[in-house]
Amino acid sequence: MKSNYLANGTELGVVSAGFAGGQPDPGVATGPRALISAGLLTQLEKDLHYTLFHQDEDYESRIPANDPVYRKMKRPLAVSAVSKRISEQVYEQACQGRCVLTLGGDHSISIGTLAGTAEATRERLSGKEVGVIWVNAHAHINTPDTTKSGNLHGMALAFPTGVAKGDREDIFGWLKPKQMISPKKLVYIALRDVDDGEEVIIKQQKIKVFKMDEIKSQGINSVMDQALAYIGNDTPIHLSYDIDGLDPTVAPSTGATVPGGLTLDQGKYIGRDQPTSGTRKFPEDGYGGYFPIAKRIGTGFQLTGAKHLKCLRTKLRFMRMMKAVVHGG
C-alpha cells in the first residue's frame, strides 16, 4: 500500500467481522469466511506480497440472550457490544501504521470500523480527522427517532457522526469524541434509496452526496475527482464499500438490492485514477493506472453486504478490484 499516511505499507491487517445482527438476514455473516475459504488471504499474501495480520473472532459470546428493543432499536446490546469489539480490533491494527481491511457482515459493523479508524488516525497523525467515502445504495444515517424498521444497520453512520447519541454505556454510550467522524468529511457515492428522515438529516448536516443520476450525467471519473477534492488533499480516507452500491445485475446476492447501481467498471474506477479526458479502458482484472484513494488511505477500508456462497464469483471479481486499491499506484 503506497499511502501517504501509512507507516507500514507492506503490512495488511484483516478483521473478519462476520456479524449480521444489525438486520434480519443471517446470510451476510457468511461473507468473510466464504472469501477466505476461496483464497482471498492467499492472494493478498502471495500475489501482492503483504505480511498479513488476520483476526477472526467469534462474536457469539458477546451477544446476550435477552436483548429487548430500546428506543426502537432492535438487538441494541448485541450490536453495541460487537461494534465496540470491532472498534478495538481495528484500532489495535491501525495503530501499528498498517492498512486494515474489514470484511463484513452487515453495515452495522461500520460503527466499530469508523470508531477504530478515527481514534487511530487522530493518535497516529497528530489529531487529524479521517474522511469517509461511503459507496452504498443506502444512506445508513437514520436515528432511533427516524427509523422505520429499527434495524441498526440503517443507523450505522448516525452514531459515529454524533447525529444520534447513546444514552447508556452499553448501547453506544462507549463512543467518545476521539472515535467520531465529522459529517463535513463524509461523501456518499451511488446513493439511490434514502428514507425521508435521512433526507432531512443529510440536508441539515450538509453532507456531500453523489447519487446515481449525477454519476451517469457527469461520469464516475468527475465524481471521484470532486469527492476527493471535497474531503481535502490533507485528509486521510476510510473507504466503506457495500456491495449493494453495485447494480443487482452485477451483484445480485445482497439482502437489499436496488436497481440502477454502479456497473462493475464504475465500481473498479472508484479505486483508480486516469486522465479526465479521452477514451477510458477498464482492464478486466482491475489493475493498471494510479490509485488516489490508495495514497490517501488513513487506516483502511471495509467490504459489507455480500451474502451466501452463490454470490462468491461476484464477490471475488469485486475483491480483485479491492486488491488493486490495496496494492496502490
Side-chain angles (χ1 to χ4, degrees):
M1 168 68 73
K2 297 178 182 179
S3 169
N4 298 332
Y5 299 106
L6 296 176
N8 295 310
T10 61
E11 298 180 355
L12 181 67
V14 180
V15 176
S16 295
F19 178 70
Q23 46 79 63
D25 189 340
V28 292
T30 66
R33 290 184 181 174
L35 286 166
I36 291 167
S37 66
L40 174 64
L41 299 186
T42 300
Q43 291 178 54
L44 291 172
E45 192 168 28
K46 292 187 175 180
D47 296 355
L48 301 182
H49 311 295
Y50 283 102
T51 301
L52 297 184
F53 298 83
H54 178 218
Q55 294 181 333
D56 185 5
E57 185 171 319
D58 187 347
Y59 300 116
E60 286 300 317
S61 63
R62 301 178 185 276
I63 299 175
N66 184 32
D67 197 354
V69 173
Y70 179 74
R71 291 174 55 197
K72 292 167 53 177
M73 294 180 282
K74 296 176 180 176
R75 297 174 291 278
L77 293 172
V79 177
S80 180
V82 172
S83 296
K84 184 177 182 181
R85 178 54 190 150
I86 292 172
S87 76
E88 294 166 350
Q89 291 176 282
V90 171
Y91 171 79
E92 289 163 7
Q93 297 262 22
C95 278
Q96 302 303 313
R98 65 179 68 115
C99 180
V100 185
L101 168 63
T102 307
L103 303 173
D106 74 62
H107 229 118
S108 68
I109 70 166
S110 299
I111 299 170
T113 60
L114 290 174
T117 294
E119 183 175 4
T121 300
R122 286 187 171 96
E123 185 172 305
R124 284 187 55 248
L125 301 175
S126 303
K128 273 189 179 294
E129 285 188 302
V130 67
V132 177
I133 291 184
W134 190 270
V135 183
N136 204 305
H138 306 92
H140 293 278
I141 202 165
N142 269 307
T143 69
D145 294 325
T146 65
T147 181
K148 296 177 182 178
S149 70
N151 293 323
L152 274 157
H153 75 149
M155 306 179 220
L157 276 170
F159 288 97
T161 57
V163 171
K165 292 179 172 57
D167 57 4
R168 285 173 46 175
E169 181 68 20
D170 58 352
I171 302 181
F172 308 114
W174 54 267
L175 281 164
K176 302 298 185 286
K178 64 183 178 181
Q179 298 170 305
M180 310 292 274
I181 65 168
S182 169
K184 294 181 175 61
K185 294 287 187 179
L186 169 63
V187 177
Y188 285 118
I189 292 177
L191 205 60
R192 55 193 188 277
D193 185 9
V194 184
D195 292 343
D196 292 342
E198 292 177 309
E199 290 279 14
V200 173
I201 291 168
I202 289 169
K203 184 175 291 187
Q204 288 176 340
Q205 297 295 325
K206 300 180 180 179
I207 299 172
K208 188 69 172 176
V209 178
F210 293 100
K211 295 187 177 180
M212 280 306 303
D213 56 351
E214 293 170 279
I215 293 172
K216 291 174 182 176
S217 63
Q218 299 179 33
I220 189 65
N221 54 319
S222 174
V223 165
M224 286 307 301
D225 287 346
Q226 293 176 65
L228 292 170
Y230 176 83
I231 288 176
N233 292 329
D234 62 343
T235 303
I237 287 173
H238 173 90
L239 173 63
S240 176
Y241 209 130
D242 194 301
I243 202 167
D244 70 20
L246 299 173
D247 191 80
T249 59
V250 177
S253 294
T254 180
T257 57
V258 183
L262 296 166
T263 66
L264 187 60
D265 285 347
Q266 290 170 331
K268 288 178 179 179
Y269 187 87
I270 288 172
R272 68 173 57 248
D273 181 24
Q274 295 180 343
T276 54
S277 61
T279 302
R280 208 169 289 281
K281 295 183 179 179
F282 300 89
E284 176 58 27
D285 63 4
Y287 290 95
Y290 298 92
F291 300 84
I293 286 183
K295 294 183 184 300
R296 300 272 298 282
I297 289 291
T299 51
F301 47 92
Q302 68 188 49
L303 166 67
T304 56
K307 67 171 186 174
H308 306 312
L309 288 173
K310 67 180 180 179
C311 70
L312 186 56
R313 183 169 176 233
T314 298
K315 289 190 289 184
L316 289 176
R317 290 173 68 195
F318 176 66
M319 283 309 298
R320 292 173 78 184
M321 182 271 288
M322 293 302 288
K323 277 173 59 183
V325 177
V326 174
H327 185 52

